[in-house]
Amino acid sequence: MAQLRALGVHPSTITKRCRPGGPWRRLAPGVVLLGTGEPTRHQLLQATTAYLGPDSVITGLDALRTYGVRLPPPTAVRALVPAHRRLTPPAFVSLERTARLPVPVDIEGLPYAPPVRATIDAARQEADPDLLRRVLALPVQEGLCTIEELGDELEKGNQRGSAAVRVQLRTLARTDLSDLRRTARQLVRRCPLPPPRWDTTVFTRDRCRLGSVDAWWDDVGLAWSVTTTGAPASRGAKDERDRLALTSVGVVLVRTTPSMVRHHSEFVIAELVRGFRQAARRPRPRVLSEARVIAA
């Protein structure tokens, strides 16, 4: 309404036009739809932000759909506001007060929660197990976030409704790891390199452990590790210790994120070939290895 008044429309004219049978429709206090039909989803999102003000953030399914995730629209627009605010939102808005208001992502002038926060906010409200799995899995498959990042966000946020999400994340993590390993093996089969050993631990000659890697080319001392972004601090510290130990004895180590394996396979192949050539040009490091699986 402030915009209408700024354009010179008198408040009484606005009130008259919003009466039953009038040409306009009041969606929320201070928010008017210049028409009588049902508002579109985008108009509801605009109305939500107009009513709640600049310190509000759209989250949940509407945010994920805006990022391109193929999910059904929710019945209400889920929005976040600071914990100190007291509002009675219109029926089409589901409001959550939070002490952890995220920095919004501006898309077409509307503020959306980042993908990780939007996913967890949507998941905590979902009672259908099948849709809950989709809500958690699709953003990961689209490369918007990782399972580790989702787990970290779940731990930091409101624990209400988190039990089912926690169970699904553990299941998804096992499935995702299996899929990632299968994708990595398919990628390596396309490389113009000899088959590696998989899931290998590298030792010094006196059996002192240096580190574990996903793939190992023993003839030249080349290692490949698919590192997990957003992993817990303990896992990240272990990966870094392994990296330092392996490279300190001359192992050539190629590190790749899961997203690169899934979405940029040609780049990863080029990196592995480059690493193999680099490893072949220098004397093989004096290390031993043990692998649980040897590629055929």
Side-chain angles (χ1 to χ4, degrees):
M1 288 179 60
Q3 291 175 311
L4 290 173
R5 290 197 297 268
L7 292 172
V9 181
H10 196 274
S12 62
T13 302
I14 298 174
T15 300
K16 181 180 180 180
R17 293 191 175 192
C18 289
R19 289 172 181 166
W24 294 350
R25 177 178 172 183
R26 196 183 302 274
L27 295 180
V31 182
V32 172
L33 174 67
L34 303 185
T36 57
E38 287 299 314
T40 66
R41 195 72 198 174
H42 189 69
Q43 286 172 332
L44 288 178
L45 298 176
Q46 289 177 310
T48 298
T49 301
Y51 173 69
L52 296 178
D55 59 350
S56 62
V57 179
I58 298 168
T59 190
L61 293 177
D62 278 304
L64 292 177
R65 283 163 52 85
T66 299
Y67 291 124
V69 182
R70 296 176 297 280
L71 289 165
T75 54
V77 177
R78 187 152 190 83
L80 305 170
V81 294
H84 67 270
R85 293 194 63 184
R86 293 293 179 263
L87 295 164
T88 302
F92 62 85
V93 176
S94 174
L95 195 61
E96 179 176 339
R97 298 173 182 85
T98 177
R100 299 178 56 250
L101 193 70
V103 177
V105 178
D106 186 287
I107 301 177
E108 296 182 355
L110 294 177
Y112 294 95
V116 174
R117 178 65 177 271
T119 301
I120 292 300
D121 285 344
R124 285 194 296 106
Q125 300 298 314
E126 187 52 60
D128 184 312
D130 291 334
L131 186 53
L132 174 57
R133 281 192 290 272
R134 290 183 61 201
V135 167
L136 293 170
L138 290 179
V140 174
Q141 294 170 8
E142 295 289 340
L144 294 171
C145 56
T146 68
I147 294 173
E148 290 77 16
E149 289 168 339
L150 292 176
D152 186 53
E153 176 61 36
L154 185 65
E155 292 301 323
K156 290 178 180 177
N158 191 328
Q159 295 303 296
R160 186 176 66 253
S162 66
V165 180
R166 206 178 305 277
V167 170
Q168 289 293 346
L169 276 178
R170 285 197 294 266
T171 301
L172 186 60
R174 290 192 294 269
T175 303
D176 185 69
L177 181 59
S178 177
D179 291 344
L180 179 62
R181 286 175 172 170
R182 181 166 55 252
T183 301
R185 282 160 172 72
Q186 292 170 347
L187 183 153
V188 167
R189 282 197 289 271
R190 292 162 48 201
C191 280
L193 300 176
R197 299 175 182 178
W198 292 98
D199 299 321
T200 301
T201 302
V202 183
F203 303 88
T204 63
R205 291 285 182 177
D206 55 0
R207 304 296 298 177
C208 177
R209 180 189 178 280
L210 292 167
S212 297
V213 295
D214 294 292
W216 172 253
W217 283 265
D218 192 66
D219 288 348
V220 297
L222 169 67
W224 181 33
S225 178
V226 182
T227 58
T228 305
T229 57
S234 58
R235 169 69 184 275
K238 177 184 176 298
D239 287 347
E240 183 63 14
R241 287 195 300 270
D242 286 359
R243 182 190 71 82
L244 291 172
L246 289 165
T247 56
S248 69
V249 298
V251 169
V252 174
L253 176 62
V254 176
R255 304 175 84 195
T256 311
T257 64
S259 178
M260 293 298 292
V261 173
R262 292 188 177 101
H263 304 295
H264 303 282
S265 59
E266 295 303 324
F267 177 84
V268 176
I269 289 172
E271 287 295 296
L272 289 172
V273 170
R274 187 179 299 112
F276 190 92
R277 289 172 178 167
Q278 178 186 345
R281 285 196 295 266
R282 55 92 174 99
R284 183 191 179 281
R286 294 175 59 80
V287 295
L288 304 173
S289 64
E290 287 184 359
R292 293 194 300 273
V293 179
I294 299 178

